[in-house]
Structures are given as C-alpha cells and as structure tokens.
Amino acid sequence: MNNTVYESEEFRRMLDETSVMPEPPVMDGSLRQAWFINRCRRIVARKEEELKRALTFCVVTFGCQMNERDSEKLRGILRLSGFSQSDTEEADFVLYNTCTVRENANVRLYGRLGSLSSARKKNPAMKIALCGCMMQEKDEIERIRQKYRYINLVFGTHNLYRFSELLCACLMSDGQIIDVMDKNDSIVENLPSDRTYSFKSGVNIMFGCNNFCTYCIVPYVRGREKSREMKDILDETRQLARDGVVEVMFLGQNVNSYGKGLSGDVSFSKLLEEAEKIDGIRRIRFMTSHPKDLSDDLIEVMKNSGKICPHLHLPVQSGSSRLLKLMNRHYTKESYLDLVSRLREAIPDLSLSTDIIVGFPGETEEDFQETLDIVRRVEYDSAFTFLYSKRTGTPAASMEGQVSDETAHERFDRLLAEVQSIGRRRSSRFEGTVQSVLAEEVNRQDRSLLTGRTPHNLVVHFPGDKSMIGSIVDVRLDKAHGFYYTGTERE
Ligand code: SAH
Ligand code: SF4
Ligand code: F3S
C-alpha cells in the first residue's frame, strides 16, 4: 500500500485561492470545500500545539468498491486537513463508512462500535463519525440519536462531498451533529483523494441505481442513477495515468446503462473506447454489469480491445426465470444463457464471475435446481453466494413464502459446494501458461513472494521484491491451487 494524496491542479489552485478568503464561498461545490479544508488545517494545527503531538485518523470501510472509493476521498480530506493516518482505531478521529446491503453488515457495525469503547476511554478527545449507506436509513439514525449519544458526526451518501465542512463543524463542537439528505442531484468534481494503491484506482462513472431489484436496498440509500460527464471521467483517468496508475476500474451499480440522462452520443462502450486511447493505462476493468443492459456494442469493444481485461462480473442472482421476474431483474434464464454464449463466442477465454442469492421469498426446490443448473452450464470462474436478507422497505420484504433459515442454509451449502468445485476446475485452466501479471503487494505470509493478478483476475504468488510492485511482468503459472496460482517470472 502506498497512500498517495492526489489532488487535481484545479483543486490545488482552489486551496490557494480560498486560503486568503475571510468567509466561505456561498456556492456549494469544491471551492467551498477547499475553504473548509484550510479552516480544518488551522484547527488541527492548534489542537496539535495544545496536545504537543500529531492528531491521527482511521477510516474503516464496509461494503463494496463504491464505498472503498468514497473512503479514499474521505481520507484525502483528512490528510489535507493535517491528520496523520493511524493503522488502528486508537485514533483521534475514527470514521466508519457503512454498508447496509444485508442485515449482517449492520450487525457488524454495531459490534465494531462496541469494541471501540476501551480506545475511547484511553482517549477521551476521540471523535467518532459514521457515514455511508446505512446512515440513509431513518431507523438507524433514530437508534444513533437515542442510544449512541457519544457519536460525534453522522452524514450520508448524498452529502459526502461536504465532508470538510462537516469535519470542521465536528472539530469545533462537543455535541452530536447529524446531517443526512434524502437526495441530491449534483455531482461535485475535483475532490482530493488518498489512493490506497499508487498503480491502480477505481473511477466512479456513475452514482446511484434505478433498477429497484425487489430485494435490494441500494436504490433507496444511494438515490437515483446519475452519470458523470464523459469528459470528467476521461480527465480523471488521464490524470491517474500521469500519476503512474496502470489499471483503472470503472465503477457503477449498473455500468451498462452509463450515459442515460447525459446529452450527446454517449454510452458505456464509447467511454471504454475513449479510455482505451489513454497512454499509460494498460488495463481497464469495470463493475457491475447488469445482464439486461449489456449491449452488442460492448461485446464488440471488449473483443477488439487490447486493454479491457477478459473478465466480466455478471450477477445472475437466480437461475429460475420465475424468481428473476419476482426479483425485477428483466431477463430470463434463457436470455442470460444466450448472452453468455454470445460473450464466449466473441471472447473465447473470458472469465465470468457472478452473484447469487439463495432463499429469496417463494424459492422452491425446483427454483433452486434451476440455479444449480445455470451455475453448471455457465461454469463461473468464481461466484459470490449470499443468503437472502430481508431489507425493510423493499418489496421482497413483504412477499409471501419467506424461506426458513434452515432450508436457505441447506441450499446455500449445496450451492457453495457446486460453485467451488466448478471454480477450482475452471481457474486451473491456465496452468503452465505465461500470463502478464500486475504485481500488487508483498505476500503477507511469505515476504519473499509478491502477489499479483492476471488479466482474468486470477491471483498469483511468485518470487519477487518490493521494487516490482506496480509493474506488469510475465509470469509462468506453474501450479494451480484451487483459486490461486504459484508461478515464476519468465526471464
Ligand atoms: N449493482 C450490482 C450489485 C450490488 S449489491 C448488481 O446489480 O449486480 C451486490 C450483491 O449483493 C448483489 O448482486 C446481490 O447478489 C446481493 N444482494 C443485494 N441485496 C441483497 C439482499 N437483500 N439479500 C442478499 N443479497 C443481496
Ligand atoms: Fe441493487 Fe439491482 Fe441496483 Fe444492483 S441493479 S444495486 S442489485 S437494485
Ligand atoms: Fe453496501 Fe452501499 Fe455498496 S449498501 S454494497 S456500500 S452501495
């Protein structure tokens, strides 16, 4: 891990410009946030003087890549405000970026808050903040208001870009600040970020979701789908390439519908074609693709590309067309299989991964057999399997025929055994071949090894040293071990 604060030249100018302004700019946006970063800097410097030590922060991220990317922005602001990063939660400012996609995400957060109490006792000046998807739920906010009075700051997904302003207010107050908005249609560009890796980065291409799959809470907590302007995405990608990034991952809940609502002739495949032209970017990945919106154009672009990785995450959720309809997914088992065969025809060695939900309301043994059948037919390289989790306010929560825990667990175990044995077989298909591997980190168990990924997203451990991190090297995949390989660099 490298931790590089990255701010655009434009934002650097904004920091300079606002450092001499007595009052914050009235217009909401990055200039106003720059003003507050300058103010936070002064507050942090003063506190450090008083305490005669550096102030530290810790950001803990739950959930998906979207949250990971948001946390990079939050860390960027904390660093620019003068805080130093702490490896543990014994820090002066602890921020949890939450997820609520399944019930256990919420349970985990409260558990984590509980275990913070000893660190809080040691450092009574500790400030604790919560943000992210779970904070968009009214019941959770009520719970925090009543039972977690010691939480200093709460904000949601729609006002994350105002973090420096909220941080400033929090540093100056001893009370509890709760600032959550129901919606916000603006996209604020140019915020700084503290990247976890120097050589790869996520890039948001869109926010929110309009699909309302009946089990899913994301559209309620992330709001309506909004695409970023293509120019902004490409400018950011160019800047990343200049900073040494070789792999980008375009992020959105449904990247295939990118561009809806923007003017001009824009689409996801056009965006990829433009990104492909950027010098320095050597690998392009994206997630998540919704099967209903995956276009022939995209297949064509992937087929002809030298940079788009031959790996697609294509969540199926279920193999039963009856359940897919109840889930509001807008495809059938047959149309999904047809899509997979068109993809495989165009890109023969494509790796496919997926998400599957077990125990959706009304799921019968026959429905479940359809899921097992699609898994066998598609032969996924990997699959994330989830037990259905009831999310209050979603249509599925009040559907009839909720499946008992016992049945759901029993099906889950059968599915897991199936996807694992297929995955193991599929992922060993590259044994003996030479693949280009992006060296990502020193292996945690054996420091003489590096860990990297192939274009197909397979993990490889191979001898090498720290200086190679961030470079793409040819590695012979000597042995497949289930879901990873051991290999050696080809001279
Ligand atoms: N936008 C992405 C997925 C985002 S959520 C897509 O549509 O593919 C990631 C995964 O969590 C989903 O694919 C789904 O499999 C799972 N998930 C979402 N809501 C769930 C719920 N209520 N219970 C169990 N799994 C759920
Ligand atoms: Fe949830 Fe469906 Fe949107 Fe994915 S596409 S985030 S599963 S509503
Ligand atoms: Fe979780 Fe929010 Fe992502 S609910 S999965 S962090 S969009």
Side-chain angles (χ1 to χ4, degrees), residues 310-357:
H311 166 234
L312 194 64
H313 185 62
L314 194 63
V316 66
Q317 314 298 0
S318 167
S320 152
S321 297
R322 190 183 75 84
L323 282 196
L324 287 168
K325 194 163 173 49
L326 288 173
M327 288 177 167
N328 195 31
R329 291 290 288 180
H330 296 278
Y331 54 86
T332 60
K333 181 184 184 187
E334 291 67 35
S335 66
Y336 184 96
L337 284 169
D338 177 60
L339 176 61
V340 168
S341 61
R342 282 186 287 132
L343 280 161
R344 288 235 161 100
E345 205 163 295
I347 312 150
D349 67 349
L350 180 72
S351 282
L352 279 174
S353 57
T354 200
D355 293 342
I356 304 169
I357 298 177

Side-chain angles (χ1 to χ4, degrees), residues 101-102 213 215-218 252-254 288-290 315 317 329 355-357 386-391:
V101 74
R102 286 169 291 273
C213 302
Y215 49 80
C216 185
I217 198 164
V218 171
Q253 294 297 352
N254 177 10
T288 299
S289 280
H290 194 305
Q317 314 298 0
R329 291 290 288 180
D355 293 342
I356 304 169
I357 298 177
F386 304 108
L387 281 170
Y388 167 72
S389 169
K390 197 174 184 174
R391 306 315 285 132

Side-chain angles (χ1 to χ4, degrees), residues 273-322:
E273 277 177 326
E274 290 305 313
E276 175 106 18
K277 295 179 192 156
I278 298 176
D279 285 339
I281 297 297
R282 296 179 57 193
R283 287 180 168 190
I284 302 171
R285 300 184 187 276
F286 50 85
M287 73 185 297
T288 299
S289 280
H290 194 305
K292 80 177 163 71
D293 294 315
L294 201 149
S295 68
D296 288 338
D297 284 352
L298 176 64
I299 301 180
E300 209 43 38
V301 170
M302 284 184 81
K303 177 179 163 182
N304 298 324
S305 166
K307 294 187 180 177
I308 301 171
C309 291
H311 166 234
L312 194 64
H313 185 62
L314 194 63
V316 66
Q317 314 298 0
S318 167
S320 152
S321 297
R322 190 183 75 84

Side-chain angles (χ1 to χ4, degrees), residues 418-429:
E418 192 69 46
V419 298
Q420 285 187 342
S421 90
I422 295 171
R424 224 171 268 134
R425 191 173 70 234
R426 276 286 291 175
S427 352
S428 61
R429 72 188 190 280

